[in-house]
Amino acid sequence: MTTTQPARSPVTLKAVAGPGQPEPTPALEELYRGFENELLVPLWTEIGDLMPLSPRSNAVAHRWRWSELLPLARRAGDLVPVGRGGERRAIALANPGLGGAPYATPTLWAAIQYLNPGEDAPVHRHTQNAFRFVVEGEGVWTAVDGDPVAMRRGDFLLTPGWAFHGHHNATTEPMAWLDGLDIPLARYLDTGFFEPGPDHVEDTSTPERSRSERLWAHPGLRPVSQKEAAASSPIAAYRWEHTDAALADQLALEAEGHPGVLAPGHAAVRFTNPTTGGDVMPTIRAEFHRLRAGTATEPAREVGSSVYLVFAGEGAVRVGEAEWTVGQGDLFVVPSWQPLALTAGSELDLFRFSDAPVIERLNAARSE
Ligand code: 1HN
């Protein structure tokens, strides 16, 4: 038995035999106790973990089934009030490799949120960037900086960092949707600020189209009055009818022998910021993919992590060693550098979001 370390030292070092390791001796043990006491860690015991030959994420490939998520969200709707303090009835996907943290991947938060008829989620703002994607239902308006934005099936809605936002269910039906945020990244970088606003959404009007869309969401047209490049897209809602039409047109062009699809039988679009042509928000990339029935993608991997939501159809998914069948509403995560292969049973519609803008800004992007 060697000397015990002081209880308050978080550093534990063990002298072990191994390649690149010095011979374990009493003198070495004594040196290591000295390191522990001064909160020091030598590189030679850590190098393999600190610098793997390629990314080895703690996050694991995992799938959550909509058929399990939705009843639990409904039950939360019965039991848990929404209001100041808790702020949102949002239930996060906790990646089983991330030690119980409410993180889908090391950089991305994903949650199912549920709002009962007549309820308001209180107004607040935070520096974390957020979006909503609607898998089913309608009837909630999210007010972004006071602009009410209708949420309907297939719509992709933005709440960029520091925009005030609250949600209001203006109907007699409950509604559930997917939230995505860059919370883990903001936590890691310590960039988070939060500020409460009014307890209720002030403008509970229910316009078909938001002011944001009326100003910004005309294809290929930007208002000349708005000259600045904005860090986040000013388009509050990317409507399903446009996404659907873009994907349908890509596949129709392919059938007519013209280029445009990402790969045979595989149409894809990226949601963009019209002021820059780049990603919708500084930390989050969002895309929509459509595979023809029977299409199988080649296994491919890239640096950075993604979350996929099955919007429609069914198929088989392989991520590294994991393999699942998926159907409407199911979610799965693809950790950094794990190969993904998709097979579409029926026509398969997938919403995807990732940390790609961060990876690219860090000049760390690689794929194969
Ligand atoms: C938030 O503001 C929303 O606005 C969703 O709907 C999830 C998770 C943590 C902190 C703030 C929303 C959130 C959140």
Side-chain angles (χ1 to χ4, degrees), residues 63 65 310 314-318 323-327 330 332 343:
R63 173 204 53 183
R65 281 198 176 281
V310 179
E314 69 239 334
V317 178
R318 238 180 332 115
E323 196 161 2
W324 322 285
T325 57
V326 293
D330 293 352
F332 58 92
T343 305

Side-chain angles (χ1 to χ4, degrees), residues 88 90 109 113 124 126 132 165 167 177 179 181 183:
R88 298 293 184 260
W109 160 292
Q113 184 167 163
H124 64 210
H126 37 71
R132 337 264 153 227
H165 57 286
H167 318 311
W177 63 87
D179 290 313
L181 293 93
I183 289 174

